[in-house]
Amino acid sequence: EIVLTQSPGTLSLSPGETATLSCRASQGVSSTYLAWYQQKPGQAPRLLIYGASTRATGIPDRFSGSGSGTDFTLTISRLEPEDFAVYHCQQYGSSFPYTFGQGTKLEIK
Amino acid sequence: EVQLLESGGGLVQPGGSLRLSCAASGFMFSNYAMTWVRQAPGKGLEWVSVISGSSGITYYADSVKGRFTISRDNSKNTLYLQMSSLRAEDTAVYYCAKGRGTWINHFMDVWGHGTTVIVSS
């Protein structure tokens, strides 16, 4: 089973700044089968990025994903107030079970 | 519009059983793998189980194997999770999610709003 470790646990930034979130896998994630989800309090997760770098439908271009192998990054440029949420990474490249990271909370500074 | 609507959550005693449902609409349900994901209070997401679109192949997390059963009725566009021998650590919000991609490699592109299961005496 692939273990995903997200860092930092909490990131405090101001609107307009750039957020850089990390997701590190315990072993290589094949073919960049890595997704990112955003979750706001009391809401279900929402797909942001799949295939490590492809934005889902309707996701603004200030969200970008990168990485391969064991190191992946979600970058959020020009933070808007609605971007402050918890972000989860998930790998779907190995056999089941799929696994999630523990989440990074992006909070307003 | 693609929608998933979970139901069936509630308060159950340890050792008890509960069946969750997820009603799907807006897409060809039988063509897609469906997954249950849960989130304990204040915790991250945990993948629970998956079922293939038409052949009914299933997989489970070790934490629920032997206690939970995932199934689907493609004629009713409904996904189920039968939970038995429930434990306090099963307390969570349970989400159903639609898969996109191949059977082996798919991400979850649409999620339901979740249903809450509380296991307590």
Side-chain angles (χ1 to χ4, degrees), chain A residues 1-80:
Chain A
E1 176 178 315
I2 295 178
V3 176
L4 299 180
T5 302
Q6 293 186 241
S7 61
T10 301
L11 184 57
S12 300
L13 293 171
S14 301
E17 294 190 299
T18 295
T20 303
L21 287 66
S22 173
C23 177
R24 180 160 292 176
S26 60
Q27 53 188 283
V29 177
S30 58
S31 301
T32 63
Y33 288 134
L34 193 286
W36 290 92
Y37 303 89
Q38 177 193 64
Q39 187 178 28
K40 297 180 180 179
Q43 296 186 18
R46 176 176 73 143
L47 176 67
L48 291 177
I49 300 283
Y50 62 91
S53 61
T54 303
R55 279 187 301 276
T57 302
I59 302 303
D61 61 7
R62 62 177 185 275
F63 290 87
S64 63
S66 63
S68 63
T70 60
D71 289 296
F72 298 86
T73 300
L74 175 69
T75 302
I76 313 170
S77 305
R78 307 179 305 279
L79 282 167
E80 299 281 347

Side-chain angles (χ1 to χ4, degrees), chain A residues 33 37 39 43-45 47 50 88 90 92-93 96-98 100 102, chain B residues 37 39 45 47 50 59 95 100 103-109 111-112:
Chain A
Y33 288 134
Y37 303 89
Q39 187 178 28
Q43 296 186 18
L47 176 67
Y50 62 91
H88 308 272
Q90 180 232 335
Y92 55 99
F96 301 115
Y98 291 163
F100 290 91
Q102 80 278 20
Chain B
V37 174
Q39 186 171 36
L45 301 173
W47 183 92
V50 66
Y59 286 92
Y95 297 100
R100 179 178 155 194
W103 160 234
I104 292 298
N105 303 115
H106 63 265
F107 52 91
M108 280 75 89
D109 66 342
W111 296 63

